Structure formats: structure tokens, C-alpha cells
Amino acid sequence: MIVKVGVGVMIFNEHQQVLLGKRLGKHGYGTRAFPGGHLEYKESPFDCAVRETREETGLILNYVNQGPWTNDVFDDGSHYLTLFMLANHPGGIPRVLEPDKCEKWEWFDWNDLPAPLFRTIITLKSNHTDLIKSLKAKAHIGNYGSMLP
């Protein structure tokens, strides 16, 4: 079996909430997940984050920072290495642009995420218990807009 590489985009708004969509596809149906998708051949994780966010939400990211990663094997046997990318909310309202894959987009506090969560986010939270604290220190996410050029 082949290991697939996915990208998850953790977009933070000015209230330090993250954007999650309710998945409709068979892979993770009904769970909440970040915008994201498969890394394409010769595509950087940064470019993938910008492309997937635009395709799924209509939001245009103008700065993306590298975040943590997870290694997950799903119940169907698929194996994913997920690279999480960090971005601040660039402005605008997220829209559902792939209604066959996502029911809605909503903002949530990191410490009060809805259930059920997509497996990669469960792994992310369990492996990085101080994630938001460390991200604020690393990327100054707590200062809205500081990741932007």
C-alpha cells in the first residue's frame, strides 16, 4: 500500500479560532476537518495549502507557515502523512465551494472543538498537547496579522 501525503491548513482568525468544515465525502464523513487535501506531484506544501484553501473556501492566503505533521492509518487501511500548514485569516467569509465534500465552514476555539473530529486532528491534538501555546511562540499567531508580510 502507498502512503499518501495530505496537507491540512490551520487558519486562525483574530479571535484565535480555527476554521473547520463538516466533511461529506466517504473518507471521514460527518467529521470536522481543516481545509486541505492531497499534495500534487511537484507541488510544495505551501502551494498546496494556498490552492486547497482557495478551492474549498474561496479564501486567498498570502502567507503560510510550516506547522507540525501527523502519521495516521485509517480504518479503511489508507495511510496518510499529513503536513499541517499555518495561516492567519486573510479576510473575507469562507464559502462552501465544494458542496459534495463539505457541508459548512465554521470557526471554533482550539480548546472547544466539536465532535467528531477528523482522525488527523485527533492525532494532532494528542501528540501536541501544548500546540497553540507553542505555535503562538513560534509564529506569533496570537498577534493577529503578524504572519502576514
Side-chain angles (χ1 to χ4, degrees):
M1 183 149 297
I2 295 174
V3 177
K4 299 175 183 177
V5 179
V7 171
V9 189
M10 298 175 67
I11 303 172
F12 292 85
N13 68 12
E14 68 272 14
H15 305 292
Q16 297 169 36
Q17 297 171 310
V18 292
L19 184 63
L20 295 176
K22 187 171 182 184
R23 296 177 65 94
L24 294 177
K26 70 176 185 169
H27 189 65
Y29 180 86
T31 62
R32 301 293 183 126
F34 302 124
H38 293 104
L39 190 65
E40 294 182 357
Y41 181 65
K42 292 189 176 184
E43 183 178 46
S44 77
F46 300 93
D47 291 338
C48 180
V50 170
R51 176 183 55 79
E52 288 286 358
T53 298
R54 184 186 67 248
E55 289 174 359
E56 295 177 12
T57 72
L59 298 177
I60 306 299
L61 301 179
N62 56 1
Y63 187 81
V64 178
N65 199 356
Q66 182 177 328
W69 56 274
T70 61
N71 183 29
D72 294 281
V73 177
F74 288 80
D75 293 338
D76 65 2
S78 59
H79 184 179
Y80 276 85
L81 181 68
T82 303
L83 310 173
F84 291 95
M85 307 304 286
L86 314 172
N88 279 337
H89 183 244
I93 298 171
R95 297 174 288 141
V96 175
L97 297 180
E98 296 178 333
D100 57 322
K101 296 179 183 177
C102 180
E103 179 181 314
K104 60 184 171 181
W105 294 106
E106 296 178 285
W107 297 99
F108 294 95
D109 291 323
W110 180 254
N111 293 319
D112 193 24
L113 297 180
L117 292 171
F118 193 57
R119 177 181 298 261
T120 60
I121 298 176
I122 294 169
T123 302
L124 180 69
K125 285 190 68 130
S126 67
N127 290 351
H128 301 278
T129 54
D130 287 338
L131 180 65
I132 295 299
K133 183 179 177 181
S134 66
L135 291 179
K136 285 180 184 177
K138 176 182 175 185
H140 306 290
I141 289 175
N143 180 4
Y144 177 67
S146 64
M147 288 176 56
L148 302 176

